[in-house]
Amino acid sequence: MSAETPAASGQFTRRRLQFRAWRGQRPFWAGLFIIIGGLPIAYFPYANLQIGHLTLAMATTAGAGSLIIGVLLVVLGVSLWFQKHIRVFAGVAAILLALVSIPVSNLGGFLIGFLFALVGGAMAVSWVSGEPPEQEPRADEGAHGGAFPESTDYGPAEGAAATGEPNDLSGTSPANGANGRHSAG
């Protein structure tokens, strides 16, 4: 290798920065938490624990329900990565599936899957895309720092003020003859 040969670490750094930019534009961590929550919910009802020569099966009568809940959570997590506009739906669905997994799937994958899916769903609902802040007007613009408009001409008056009628919609104005009392009908 010569000194002019580009280093391989530049390729790694570029890919890492691309992944970082991609991850920052979507609810990545929410999707990851939901996926991690779906795996134990789907796995534990089909797992067999070996203790010496003793096999302990954790199967439930709703094993198929556990598998469906776990697979749906994984699909919702992956969907959050690639379709960020469904974040509210996916977050609410993940929270509901996590709650349903408590009675259906060994206390929601022994509370591990339940907690991950619940936190991931909450993160998905609360995520907003990071938009750059709008530029604020400079302080030297106008006499009032740009806070007030230069002219106060608002055009012709509209509504009740233009016709000379009182603009009281409460029905309690003495001009209405109500003498301060509300009319209920």
Side-chain angles (χ1 to χ4, degrees):
M1 265 189 177
S2 68
E4 291 87 29
T5 306
S9 65
Q11 179 75 10
F12 175 75
T13 303
R14 187 171 59 86
R15 295 287 184 189
R16 184 181 60 83
L17 291 175
Q18 285 176 345
F19 175 70
R20 185 176 181 185
W22 177 82
R23 187 185 71 202
Q25 297 172 353
R26 59 201 74 247
F28 176 79
W29 294 108
L32 185 66
F33 272 50
I34 292 172
I35 291 170
I36 291 172
L39 294 177
I41 290 174
Y43 173 74
F44 284 141
Y46 294 101
N48 291 326
L49 180 63
Q50 294 284 339
I51 304 175
H53 294 291
L54 179 66
T55 301
L56 179 62
M58 295 177 264
T60 62
T61 56
S66 300
L67 183 64
I68 290 170
I69 290 172
V71 168
L72 282 175
L73 284 171
V74 170
V75 168
L76 286 172
V78 172
S79 296
L80 278 172
W81 286 350
F82 297 106
Q83 297 178 359
K84 60 184 175 183
H85 61 278
I86 64 162
R87 65 175 178 78
V88 174
F89 168 75
V92 170
I95 291 171
L96 291 176
L97 286 171
L99 290 172
V100 168
S101 74
I102 290 176
V104 171
S105 174
N106 295 330
L107 291 174
F110 298 116
L111 296 179
I112 298 167
F114 165 72
L115 290 175
F116 271 106
L118 194 69
V119 170
M123 288 169 62
V125 169
S126 65
W127 182 85
V128 292
S129 61
E131 297 174 0
E134 295 180 14
Q135 292 184 0
E136 297 180 10
R138 296 182 317 183
D140 61 339
E141 289 181 2
H144 303 286
F148 300 105
E150 293 298 322
S151 74
T152 56
D153 183 21
Y154 295 112
E158 297 178 6
T163 60
E165 298 175 10
N167 192 13
D168 182 18
L169 301 177
S170 67
T172 60
S173 173
N176 295 345
N179 198 15
R181 297 183 309 264
H182 285 281
S183 59

